Amino acid sequence: MRRNCMTMPLRLLLLFMVGISQATFFSAKEQWRSEDSMTRSHDNYEWSTWFNVDHPGGRGDYEQLDAIRFYYRARVCETPRALEARTTDWVPARETGEKVHADPTVGFWCLNEEQGPERNCSNYAVRFLCPKGNGLNFQDIWSPWTDWGPCSALCGQVGVQIRSRSCSSPSLLCNGPKVERKECHGPECVTDCALHCVMGRANAECSACMCEEHILLGSVRGSGALIAEGAAILGSDKLLTLTDHNGHFRIPGLCPDGNTTLTIRLQGHATQSVLVPKSAERTTVVSVQLKRTDKLHVLSNPESKARREGQTAAFCCNVAGTPQPDKYQWFHNNSLLERKSDSTLVLKNLHLEHAGEYYCRASSQSGAIKTKPAMLNIIGQNSHSCNPKPDPHLIRLPHDCYQNGTNSFYYDVGKCPSSTCVGQLDNGIRCKDKVAYCCGVAKMEERHLACQGYQLPTMVVTECGCQKCVDTKAIVHGRAVAADTGEPMRFGHIFMNGVRISRTGYKGTFAIHVPPETERLVLTFVDNMNTFINTTKVLPFNAKGGAVYHEIQLTRKKVPVTIRSSETNTLDLGEVEGREAMAHIQIPPNSFYKENGEVFVGDVNASVTFLDPRDVSTAAAAQSDLNFVGNEGDTLPLRTYGMFSVDFRGGETNEPLNAGEVKVFLDSAQVMMPEHLGTMKLWSLNPETGLWEEEGSLELEKKSRGKREERTFLIGNLEIRERRLFNLDVPENRRCYVKVRAFRSERFMPSEQVEGVVVSLINMEPTAGYSSNPRAWGRFDSVITGSNGACLPAFCDEQKADAYTAYVMANLGGEELEAVASTPKLNPNIVGVPQPYLGRLNYRRTDHDNPRLKKTAFSINLAKPSPNTAEEANGPVYAFEKLKECEEAPFSAAHFRFSRVEGDRYDYNTVPFNEDDPMSWTEDYLSWWPKPMEYRACYIKVKINSPHEINVRSHNMGGTHPKTVGQLYGLRDIRSIRDMDQTAVSAVCLEFKCSGMLYDQARVDRTLVKVIPQGSCKRDHVNPLLQEYLVNHLPLAVNNDTNEFTMLAPLDPLGHNYGIYTVTDQDPRTAKEIALGRCFDGTSDGTSRVMKSNEGVALMFTCGGREVTRQNFFQTLQNSQGQIAISGGRIEGRQNWRRQRANASRNSQRRSTRDPKGRGSKARS
């Protein structure tokens, strides 16, 4: 550091100047001497206040005069006479030992690169010596100069401009001129320039009005109020300047006429325009706050349609983003349609060749995105819109209804697929048809099946036709709990598109009605107690309607540590005990900002929570669905190497803080796939779209750790602004799909597939190569099963079968489904995959090596099918480009299987209805559920005094409605559950058909319900409150037979005091689950997993004789290998709950039946 010192009287301050020219120094020295004289004689000068507008982060500390004037215009004179600098700790600049630069006409600056190794500049403040009384003028006794008058010259001539000032001091003599003149030139004689300038004159390009004496000062801040260095400032699409390292810019000559517009562009931010305000001042100041670019995202995909030849179809591309899309392209069967560049595609006079898939690609400056394809089905003029012949559909009959004709307990009742068809359309051209039409039941017949001692009525579909689709609603519900302990997030907030839409309950439960036309349900769970990090999830839902259960696993927020903002801080990222940190982040000194852009100085409470992929238990807590949008608009998968959530807050104020240019170091030794080292990137999560967006790349660099250790890191930079969740990921192009189906039992019949099951797949990283590096997970995906199963995305490898492996599991309403056993003997026919492909996939259920483990998941090698091997071309693993083939695969194609744990329960409905598919509901007086999307579940609790478990049936018939009286609604069979404390007591929660309005909503029906225990039983007791209610609400059913109980079901939801449990919900499974939990508990608002035999009972029977085994009563219903083995740690109460609850929402007859003309039994034979 060079210093020049002058001995002065103590009352004078030394002008400290370093790094300026000798001429400048002597000039300043002379200024100082004249100032000394002036100070002693007139004392007309004074020091300004201290200014600190920059901090030493980045390149250094710049206290520039222009920047100070930008923020404090009236507090600094035009020509300061001297400058003084000190640190924020009040250390004079000359005593710091740092090399600095100063000039009173420019300012003060210190460069980090000029200091010693491992050293940065201090944080400096400066002040200036100015004339007293008026900081804006050197001679404060003069008034300010007026603006220059208009130029007297005409086009192409030379003229004069005049300005004036007045003497404002009554006592002092004002030296100098009162009027100034200057030469000026008239405007150029541009005959074709139509620009009219209110002030100034048009420039040579005739693109803007220029005022030579005016200066525009500006400041640009990026998102999070961080400094926007390098932002481009454009006028009339011409680059004028770039912002400096402080985000400031200076443009001379631009007229403040109120008509000039500037455009500001910065990478990663939305382009913004600002109008220069009208002003008579010489200097105008503007401030601009940029917003992060809002990447293009699909609001709604084109809708599939069915049309006849000659009709018109329209598809719409509804895409949003900032900036908005400026280009649209339409594709038909992956071929670009020429001259189709609007957001709406209209196809007129349709022909058969127009059939196929259509999708849109929208693009803007921020990128591109593709919609999902929509199917256009073209039907000939004389062809049926729906196939009139029903598809085969087998239903299971009661245990005492064996059919000799088919030698089975199954009967074909037929079904109509709920596919789109052509209905009565108007001539309007719409993106979404005003009325949706689906294939459904046109005709049904009632048939009577011979059973043991009775005739069983059933409705059979005989013809399908096109009709209006059933209105449905999609629901997601579940619980938000801690991933480590299961602790619920109580009263947390749930956000969608930045708006709070719901809250979690005391037990973490939630229910969300999916808005119509939602394509991608993205929810963010926010804990107002700050126990958990904000968690964004993309939740699959059933677009056809119905409820889907999700358990949201939350990551506990890490306890914050206190760091100093003025120091370099390093925070480790890694949660696996005994192993090196996966990565770490480094925060330079003075890098924290308040949300208004001010530099934060002080203690910072820093909480950085890392989701470590080396711990497989963290997979279910992964944020979003690990997808991003590529350059061509395709949604592509990512493979994670860790996610981290940051929360920086002021130590005293607790205000949230942002941070600029944070360095991220990823240990390359933790990356087991060398090809990923060159493609690793930093990503941030968009909480509104659930998509990851690129923040930057990581570059390999060697760093020394200690004297001898040198390690290689992947290093990248990021800024922590409004987004707080980041990811270390690589795009992966080795992709496949895995076909999975879920079933109601281990019979694995096509008609017993279950829809609405959440199937999840955890992708494990390739084999590490040596035992000291255990496997880590790289991706977590979930899908919902439909009528034809589900296709799970996964990473796979064609060259090496075991390069990638995966764990697959399934969940329905909180119930874990079981995978097919792989030991003691692997049966390919039961697994659903033939040999030798099954051997190559190395299928293993989780209990393969340890029978005490759960049986609810399986692992496989993700071996990509070989195109040259015939047995691998038919599933269960499909190449990524064969998604449609996977989705439409026939049941005979290979697939993996899950099944529900089947309890001793059987349901029969006269009019079959698939509870997994709300669109299968039909208008029929005998429908068990009379109103779609309003499902009312009713249960009665029956206590059995017997040393054995007893089977109990509810027989449900029409009671008071003239259309249904004496006709069967359905049967329910269930086996009692033994009391845990009383060996001779058991109880059962038995479903019955609720009373109420039928489908036409014209008249109620009191269901005639019979409760019939099997065997030698006698009715001992009826709940007195229930009996009183039935007596007071006539008619009263006859109860002469003491072996059973008969009632006309109550219309009111009575509650546990009566032994009746009623719940109404928009999803039948949810209604049953809640009612069943209350019945088990014997309360009207609680829930239990253990049957409480003495609580909330309606009826009591005493039964004798030998035990009724499952082989006797359900022998034909249980063709599987029997009930699963229960591990030694599972209590009996839980297994009883699971046995009954697993079947509470299941009907054995699942098909679509509609009878728009039926009114009951019009087409019955």
Side-chain angles (χ1 to χ4, degrees):
M1 179 182 71
R2 303 184 184 90
R3 289 187 294 180
N4 294 276
C5 302
M6 296 173 288
T7 303
M8 305 288 294
L10 291 177
R11 65 185 178 87
L12 296 179
L13 293 170
L14 178 65
L15 172 65
F16 177 70
M17 306 184 68
V18 181
I20 59 176
S21 66
Q22 189 74 10
T24 306
F25 172 76
F26 284 122
S27 173
K29 189 174 181 181
E30 293 303 319
Q31 290 174 14
W32 179 266
R33 287 173 179 171
S34 63
E35 174 208 328
D36 179 30
S37 174
M38 186 178 296
T39 302
R40 283 177 293 182
S41 57
H42 300 289
D43 200 21
N44 288 332
Y45 294 87
E46 63 182 355
W47 288 102
S48 68
T49 57
W50 292 97
F51 302 103
N52 184 2
V53 297
D54 196 19
H55 66 90
R59 300 177 184 174
D61 193 358
Y62 291 76
E63 306 297 335
Q64 292 180 315
L65 193 56
D66 277 351
I68 294 172
R69 283 198 180 113
F70 176 82
Y71 292 108
Y72 310 101
R73 296 183 61 197
R75 293 168 61 181
V76 184
C77 56
E78 277 194 11
T79 311
R81 302 299 303 275
L83 174 153
E84 184 183 12
R86 62 164 175 82
T87 70
T88 53
D89 295 325
W90 293 90
V91 178
R94 62 181 176 274
E95 297 179 8
T96 61
E98 298 173 359
K99 183 176 180 179
V100 296
H101 307 265
D103 185 333
T105 63
V106 177
F108 176 93
W109 63 100
C110 174
L111 304 178
N112 288 334
E113 62 184 15
E114 295 181 347
Q115 311 313 314
E118 304 295 328
R119 182 174 179 179
N120 286 341
C121 295
S122 300
N123 192 8
Y124 286 95
V126 297
R127 65 177 181 172
F128 299 91
L129 190 67
C130 288
K132 270 189 177 182
N134 189 339
L136 291 176
N137 295 287
F138 175 69
Q139 296 175 344
D140 55 1
I141 58 177
W142 284 103
S143 70
W145 287 100
T146 63
D147 292 334
W148 288 103
C151 183
S152 61
L154 300 176
C155 167
Q157 297 180 352
V158 178
V160 176
Q161 281 181 287
I162 298 175
R163 68 174 182 173
S164 62
R165 62 179 177 172
S166 60
C167 183
S168 58
S169 174
S171 57
L172 297 177
L173 178 65
C174 295
N175 294 322
K178 292 184 178 180
V179 178
E180 284 187 347
R181 294 172 176 82
K182 71 174 182 177
E183 185 180 277
C184 65
H185 296 271
E188 295 184 12
C189 299
V190 182
T191 57
D192 58 347
C193 181
L195 181 63
H196 174 70
C197 291
V198 177
M199 60 175 65
R201 60 174 182 166
N203 59 11
E205 295 84 8
C206 191
S207 60
C209 297
M210 305 303 294
C211 298
E212 294 181 4
E213 300 298 323
H214 181 263
I215 296 176
L216 176 68
L217 299 178
S219 172
V220 181
R221 293 277 177 170
S223 64
L226 298 185
I227 290 173
E229 181 180 0
I233 315 298
L234 301 96
S236 302
D237 293 328
K238 180 181 178 182
L239 180 64
L240 302 179
T241 187
L242 298 174
T243 56
D244 62 15
H245 71 285
N246 284 317
H248 297 155
F249 65 88
R250 182 176 185 273
I251 304 176
L254 206 62
C255 288
D257 53 8
N259 296 321
T260 303
T261 300
L262 298 179
T263 302
I264 295 91
R265 292 178 182 169
L266 180 65
Q267 184 178 6
H269 292 73
T271 300
Q272 187 167 327
S273 296
V274 60
L275 187 68
V276 179
K278 190 173 183 178
S279 173
E281 300 286 336
R282 290 187 182 181
T283 303
T284 304
V285 178
V286 294
S287 297
V288 182
Q289 174 72 59
L290 299 179
K291 294 182 179 179
R292 182 190 289 267
T293 299
D294 186 9
K295 297 283 188 180
L296 294 182
H297 54 280
V298 177
L299 296 178
S300 60
N301 291 302
E303 183 186 60
S304 295
K305 300 178 185 292
R307 293 291 188 270
R308 293 196 182 275
E309 286 186 283
Q311 290 185 325
T312 299
F315 297 104
C316 292
C317 188
N318 191 3
V319 173
T322 304
Q324 288 285 332
D326 52 19
K327 183 180 180 182
Y328 295 91
Q329 295 172 300
W330 285 96
F331 296 81
H332 176 217
N333 294 333
N334 291 322
S335 296
L336 178 65
L337 296 176
E338 300 293 340
R339 299 185 298 278
K340 302 291 184 183
S341 57
D342 295 330
S343 61
T344 301
L345 173 67
V346 179
L347 303 173
K348 298 182 178 180
N349 192 22
L350 291 170
H351 299 287
L352 293 177
E353 56 267 22
H354 286 119
E357 289 185 341
Y358 290 84
Y359 68 88
C360 163
R361 182 180 184 269
S363 56
S364 71
Q365 295 177 359
S366 65
I369 193 166
K370 292 178 182 177
T371 65
K372 292 181 179 179
M375 178 63 69
L376 178 60
N377 186 21
I378 306 297
I379 301 168
Q381 290 288 351
N382 300 319
S383 301
H384 289 288
S385 181
C386 294
N387 184 2
K389 184 178 179 181
D391 294 339
H393 186 70
L394 297 176
I395 64 168
R396 191 176 57 184
L397 301 177
H399 70 284
D400 50 2
C401 208
Y402 185 82
Q403 298 300 295
N404 294 323
T406 58
N407 292 322
S408 73
F409 284 89
Y410 290 87
Y411 191 79
D412 185 4
V413 296
K415 71 172 182 179
C416 299
S418 56
S419 55
T420 304
C421 61
V422 180
Q424 300 297 320
L425 301 176
D426 55 25
N427 294 324
I429 298 176
R430 300 183 179 88
C431 301
K432 182 178 179 63
D433 290 339
K434 192 173 183 179
V435 178
Y437 288 90
C438 299
C439 292
V441 175
K443 292 182 181 179
M444 287 193 302
E445 292 180 357
E446 183 179 22
R447 297 180 185 171
H448 294 268
L449 306 179
C451 302
Q452 294 180 16
Y454 65 96
Q455 294 285 313
L456 181 69
T458 187
M459 302 297 294
V460 177
V461 179
T462 58
E463 184 178 335
C464 299
C466 188
Q467 56 194 255
K468 291 182 182 179
C469 299
V470 176
D471 290 332
T472 61
K473 293 182 180 179
I475 303 169
V476 294
H477 66 115
R479 294 180 69 227
V481 298
D484 52 357
T485 64
E487 173 192 351
M489 182 179 77
R490 296 187 171 99
F491 310 116
H493 301 297
I494 304 176
F495 289 82
M496 180 179 178
N497 295 326
V499 178
R500 194 184 77 178
I501 60 171
S502 186
R503 299 184 68 178
T504 61
Y506 179 77
K507 296 184 179 181
T509 57
F510 65 92
I512 304 294
H513 294 266
V514 182
E517 299 184 7
T518 299
E519 300 289 347
R520 182 177 166 88
L521 183 62
V522 182
L523 301 178
T524 299
F525 295 79
V526 178
D527 179 23
N528 55 9
M529 302 299 292
N530 259 339
T531 303
F532 307 105
I533 66 172
N534 294 354
T535 300
T536 298
K537 290 286 189 179
V538 180
L539 299 183
F541 62 95
N542 192 344
K544 295 192 299 183
V548 174
Y549 179 91
H550 291 279
E551 185 168 279
I552 309 300
Q553 296 199 14
L554 309 171
T555 303
R556 198 175 297 276
K557 182 179 289 187
K558 195 167 185 179
V559 177
V561 296
T562 301
I563 59 178
R564 292 282 298 172
S565 65
S566 58
E567 301 174 354
T568 299
N569 294 282
T570 301
L571 302 172
D572 286 339
L573 305 178
E575 301 295 329
V576 178
E577 187 176 351
R579 300 193 63 189
E580 287 277 354
M582 192 89 178
H584 63 268
I585 61 174
Q586 187 180 86
I587 309 169
N590 306 299
S591 294
F592 292 100
Y593 293 83
K594 300 179 182 179
E595 290 189 328
N596 62 2
E598 294 181 15
V599 177
F600 177 84
V601 178
D603 289 343
V604 177
N605 291 330
S607 172
V608 181
T609 306
F610 186 64
L611 194 71
D612 200 323
R614 296 173 297 181
D615 181 1
V616 71
S617 66
T618 65
Q623 301 259 359
S624 184
D625 57 358
L626 284 172
N627 286 328
F628 76 104
V629 177
N631 295 332
E632 296 300 316
D634 297 292
T635 302
L636 304 172
L638 292 169
R639 185 263 188 241
T640 186
Y641 279 89
M643 304 177 185
F644 59 98
S645 172
V646 298
D647 186 17
F648 297 141
R649 294 184 178 270
E652 297 181 359
T653 62
N654 202 38
E655 61 181 319
L657 302 176
N658 299 328
E661 200 161 301
V662 175
K663 286 189 176 294
V664 180
F665 296 80
L666 173 63
D667 188 352
S668 63
Q670 302 292 341
V671 181
M672 300 302 171
M673 301 180 69
E675 61 269 29
H676 285 173
L677 293 173
T679 56
M680 190 75 65
K681 297 179 184 293
L682 277 167
W683 309 78
S684 66
L685 179 64
N686 185 333
E688 295 188 9
T689 64
L691 293 168
W692 294 90
E693 298 176 7
E694 184 178 340
E695 290 282 336
S697 300
L698 286 88
E699 304 294 335
L700 276 172
E701 185 175 330
K702 290 186 177 181
K703 289 284 183 181
S704 296
R705 293 183 53 170
K707 294 183 178 180
R708 298 183 179 180
E709 184 182 10
E710 186 177 68
R711 303 179 67 176
T712 303
F713 289 90
L714 287 163
I715 303 177
N717 298 316
L718 61 84
E719 293 179 337
I720 298 173
R721 295 172 286 191
E722 75 281 4
R723 295 186 185 173
R724 300 303 172 105
L725 187 68
F726 303 93
N727 207 343
L728 299 161
D729 277 17
V730 292
E732 180 61 271
N733 55 12
R734 291 178 288 183
R735 297 171 287 165
C736 289
Y737 287 98
V738 179
K739 185 73 172 187
V740 179
R741 299 179 188 269
F743 299 85
R744 297 189 188 96
S745 71
E746 291 180 329
R747 288 180 294 274
F748 303 119
M749 295 187 61
S751 60
E752 293 187 350
Q753 293 188 76
V754 181
E755 299 183 41
V757 176
V758 180
V759 186
S760 301
L761 183 146
I762 304 176
N763 245 115
M764 305 299 291
E765 80 168 10
T767 304
Y770 44 95
S771 58
S772 61
N773 283 305
R775 308 285 291 281
W777 65 272
R779 185 175 173 84
F780 182 90
D781 283 284
S782 295
V783 295
I784 302 295
T785 58
S787 59
N788 199 38
C791 294
L792 278 159
F795 297 145
C796 61
D797 192 271
E798 185 176 7
Q799 303 299 324
K800 191 176 180 183
D802 61 349
Y804 277 111
T805 62
Y807 285 101
V808 185
M809 60 213 76
N811 186 291
L812 178 65
E815 172 199 351
E816 294 177 310
L817 276 65
E818 285 198 356
V820 177
S822 58
T823 185
K825 183 178 181 181
L826 184 64
N827 189 331
N829 294 327
I830 298 178
V831 174
V833 181
Q835 293 285 19
Y837 197 16
L838 181 60
R840 187 166 177 243
L841 295 173
N842 194 31
Y843 176 90
R844 292 287 187 273
R845 196 167 71 175
T846 42
D847 66 337
H848 183 84
D849 296 317
N850 185 356
R852 295 182 62 85
L853 294 179
K854 283 186 174 182
K855 305 170 176 62
T856 53
F858 65 84
S859 66
I860 55 171
N861 292 336
L862 289 165
K864 187 176 181 179
S866 172
N868 300 321
T869 306
E871 56 266 23
E872 297 182 7
N874 201 27
V877 181
Y878 292 83
F880 183 77
E881 60 274 10
K882 293 187 176 182
L883 173 60
K884 186 176 180 181
E885 184 178 326
C886 176
E887 292 176 336
E888 298 177 354
F891 187 81
S892 58
H895 57 268
F896 293 108
R897 296 168 173 175
F898 284 95
S899 63
R900 299 190 66 180
V901 181
E902 187 171 38
D904 298 327
R905 177 187 177 88
Y906 172 74
D907 298 347
Y908 174 81
N909 294 330
T910 300
V911 179
F913 170 66
N914 185 351
E915 291 177 1
D916 303 327
D917 181 10
M919 296 184 69
S920 66
W921 179 84
T922 183
E923 293 180 345
D924 195 285
Y925 285 104
L926 292 177
S927 294
W928 184 274
W929 307 99
K931 188 176 179 181
M933 305 312 298
E934 188 175 308
Y935 299 97
R936 193 178 183 205
C938 295
Y939 284 82
I940 184 170
K941 191 167 186 177
V942 182
K943 180 179 178 181
I944 306 292
N945 293 313
S946 173
H948 311 299
E949 293 179 342
I950 301 297
N951 298 308
V952 185
R953 166 175 289 185
S954 74
H955 185 277
N956 304 268
M957 301 178 67
T960 59
H961 197 288
K963 294 286 188 180
T964 62
V965 63
Q967 298 186 66
L968 183 68
Y969 284 115
L971 306 174
R972 296 294 185 267
D973 290 337
I974 190 69
R975 190 175 186 180
S976 64
I977 296 175
R978 195 186 306 276
D979 190 279
M980 295 181 63
D981 300 320
Q982 304 174 70
T983 58
V985 174
S986 63
V988 65
C989 290
L990 182 66
E991 186 186 6
F992 64 89
K993 168 77 168 62
C994 302
S995 294
M997 289 284 188
L998 300 187
Y999 86 92
D1000 60 1
Q1001 299 295 298
R1003 183 172 175 176
V1004 300
D1005 182 31
R1006 294 278 301 278
T1007 309
L1008 184 63
V1009 179
K1010 286 188 178 183
V1011 179
I1012 312 169
Q1014 186 190 23
S1016 178
C1017 298
K1018 180 182 178 180
R1019 186 178 69 244
D1020 290 334
H1021 178 72
V1022 177
N1023 185 302
L1025 290 178
L1026 176 61
Q1027 183 65 41
E1028 181 182 0
Y1029 176 91
L1030 296 175
V1031 169
N1032 292 333
H1033 293 77
L1034 301 177
L1036 181 65
V1038 178
N1039 259 307
N1040 294 329
D1041 192 346
T1042 59
N1043 293 328
E1044 59 188 39
F1045 174 76
T1046 306
M1047 69 174 178
L1048 287 168
L1051 284 168
D1052 302 305
L1054 298 181
H1056 69 286
N1057 290 329
Y1058 299 80
I1060 303 293
Y1061 304 86
T1062 305
V1063 172
T1064 302
D1065 195 86
Q1066 292 185 329
D1067 175 67
R1069 281 198 298 255
T1070 304
K1072 288 184 175 184
E1073 179 182 347
I1074 297 173
L1076 193 61
R1078 294 176 180 176
C1079 183
F1080 266 60
D1081 194 51
T1083 62
S1084 295
D1085 55 0
T1087 187
S1088 175
R1089 292 178 176 272
V1090 177
M1091 176 66 78
K1092 299 178 181 179
S1093 303
N1094 297 315
E1095 304 293 335
V1097 175
L1099 305 173
M1100 186 165 60
F1101 289 86
T1102 299
C1103 302
R1106 66 183 182 86
E1107 179 181 6
V1108 181
T1109 65
R1110 187 193 333 182
Q1111 183 65 23
N1112 289 337
F1113 186 63
F1114 289 103
Q1115 57 185 350
T1116 58
L1117 308 181
Q1118 307 293 331
N1119 296 329
S1120 63
Q1121 301 173 2
Q1123 275 198 304
I1124 61 168
I1126 305 296
S1127 63
R1130 192 177 302 178
I1131 63 172
E1132 183 180 357
R1134 182 176 179 88
Q1135 108 177 253
N1136 288 337
W1137 161 263
R1138 189 176 183 188
R1139 190 182 69 195
Q1140 184 161 350
R1141 179 175 175 271
N1143 295 276
S1145 60
R1146 183 169 76 245
N1147 284 347
S1148 62
Q1149 304 83 12
R1150 310 292 176 105
R1151 64 174 175 85
S1152 171
T1153 57
R1154 290 190 191 87
D1155 183 9
K1157 303 177 183 179
R1159 306 293 183 261
S1161 56
K1162 296 294 183 183
R1164 299 173 184 170
S1165 59

